[in-house]
Amino acid sequence: MIDVAALVFGLLALLLAGPVPALLGRATWTHRAPRAALVLWQAVALAAVLSAFSAGLAIASRLLVPGPDGRPTTAPLAEIDALGLPLWILYVTVFALTLLVGARLVYSVVRVAVRTRRRRARHRILVDLLDRHTDAAATHLPLERAPDLRVLDVTEPLAYCLPGLRQRVVLSEGTFASLSAAEVSAILSHERSHLRARHDLVLEAFTAVNDAFPRVVRSRSALGAVQLLVEMLADDSAVRTAGPAPLARALVACSTSTAPRGAMAAGGPSTVLRVQRLAAGRADRVLVTAVAYAASAAILVVPTLAVAVPWLTELSRLFGTFGH
């Protein structure tokens, strides 16, 4: 039973780290329900990590063979006698790979968090120093000055945000010169939606999980697909405030602008697809949303019930010898 559990968990981890994200990244239905699709992406990523760890735990429980007194032992010679050398080598290799994924995940989480926050802190200091938004009339700002808003002396339209405890929304003089009041309001709503929802934490988590798995098994499309969904969520929030037409015009105007690493820009390579989505309007998303949420629950719950319970029962029986 333990052997089957380890095999199933291992195969599930490989599928959820590679082929499943590759298929999901090419799907277009996700554009109609970005929130539900993002939940599905999170379920896939979490299930991949849990499956990898569960495979390692199943292997570890198999290596803990009963000793002469009936208690689990980690003596290699006893394990080899009980399992055979080829199977023992395979189990140890899989267990070592699981530990490697866990170590890489912890390292990646810490590295991404530290580097991203350092970049944002340096850039936050820079935009605070370069802020030209000292007079609302001088920048033709169609609304009152906000404490989180910074305006740079740049002629091209520019819009991005710096998430964190000290949030910033950065616009350029060119943004106010090129956009109408409604369009500026739409782009501000887009950026502040990122800040309210803490989309940056979602992207950090996916970046860490993406780096944790070896290149040969992970999907290259996962992070890009999640970034697109996050932008679509911010678009939907801005549409509810300013309408689709002003937001679409603002996105086109800012499409060629760039933002520093760690920031979240309004424009970018996905602008054309997002503008087409805004022009298409809101289709009926009830069925798509319901299916996505149901799939998310199934990905997390069904493997646990079908596979985890048998080997947990066996593990409990094995360690139950400690009480005798």
Side-chain angles (χ1 to χ4, degrees):
M1 184 65 69
I2 301 297
D3 297 340
V4 175
L7 178 62
V8 171
F9 273 128
L11 292 177
L12 187 61
L14 292 177
L15 288 174
L16 294 175
V20 171
L23 292 174
L24 190 56
R26 291 195 294 268
T28 58
W29 64 264
T30 57
H31 303 167
R32 304 202 304 273
R35 189 177 305 278
L38 189 59
V39 171
L40 180 58
W41 271 108
Q42 292 173 319
V44 169
L46 180 59
V49 173
L50 293 178
S51 296
F53 289 159
S54 296
L57 290 174
I59 292 297
S61 67
R62 191 68 177 93
L63 291 174
L64 295 175
V65 298
D69 57 355
R71 297 184 176 184
T73 178
T74 57
L77 293 180
E79 297 165 4
I80 294 174
D81 290 339
L83 301 173
L85 182 59
L87 189 57
W88 179 83
I89 294 176
L90 176 62
Y91 281 2
V92 170
T93 301
V94 173
F95 185 56
L97 289 175
T98 303
L99 294 178
L100 177 62
V101 170
R104 285 170 61 95
L105 179 60
V106 173
Y107 171 75
S108 181
V109 168
V110 174
R111 183 187 63 176
V112 170
V114 171
R115 288 185 177 181
T116 301
R117 280 153 184 77
R118 284 178 177 174
R119 293 191 189 102
R120 289 174 184 161
R122 289 194 296 265
H123 195 75
R124 188 180 298 111
I125 295 173
L126 183 62
V127 296
D128 287 348
L129 292 173
L130 298 178
D131 180 28
R132 295 292 299 274
H133 189 202
T134 57
D135 183 1
T139 55
H140 309 289
L141 187 64
L143 42 86
E144 294 182 0
R145 174 183 174 89
D148 65 341
L149 181 61
R150 299 294 182 268
V151 179
L152 304 182
D153 186 12
V154 178
T155 57
E156 69 174 4
L158 180 69
Y160 61 88
C161 65
L162 292 170
L165 295 179
R166 299 170 58 192
Q167 301 171 345
R168 298 290 186 270
V169 177
V170 182
L171 303 181
S172 66
E173 294 275 5
T175 302
F176 298 106
S178 304
L179 304 183
S180 66
E183 292 162 1
V184 171
S185 178
I187 211 70
L188 283 173
S189 178
H190 173 96
E191 296 303 332
R192 285 179 173 142
S193 175
H194 283 316
L195 299 178
R196 287 193 307 270
R198 293 309 307 266
H199 291 155
D200 57 302
L201 298 180
V202 177
L203 295 178
E204 284 184 26
F206 272 94
T207 301
V209 173
N210 187 68
D211 292 345
F213 283 89
R215 293 179 181 270
V216 295
V217 299
R218 71 189 184 201
S219 172
R220 298 180 180 179
S221 61
L223 187 57
V226 171
Q227 289 172 337
L228 176 59
L229 291 176
V230 163
E231 293 300 328
M232 289 180 175
L233 283 175
D235 290 343
D236 291 344
S237 178
V239 166
R240 289 190 291 270
T241 301
L247 177 61
R249 291 193 294 267
L251 292 178
V252 171
C254 298
S255 61
T256 59
S257 63
T258 58
R261 295 185 63 183
M264 305 183 72
S270 64
T271 299
V272 174
L273 179 60
R274 289 159 55 200
V275 170
Q276 291 174 344
R277 176 175 176 268
L278 292 174
R282 297 175 64 90
D284 185 9
R285 307 176 182 182
V286 176
L287 179 59
V288 172
T289 300
V291 172
Y293 283 136
S296 302
I299 287 174
L300 289 176
V301 174
V302 172
T304 302
L305 295 179
V307 183
V309 172
W311 75 259
L312 283 175
T313 302
E314 181 68 16
L315 187 61
S316 176
R317 184 195 62 79
L318 182 63
F319 279 95
T321 57
F322 278 119
H324 299 289

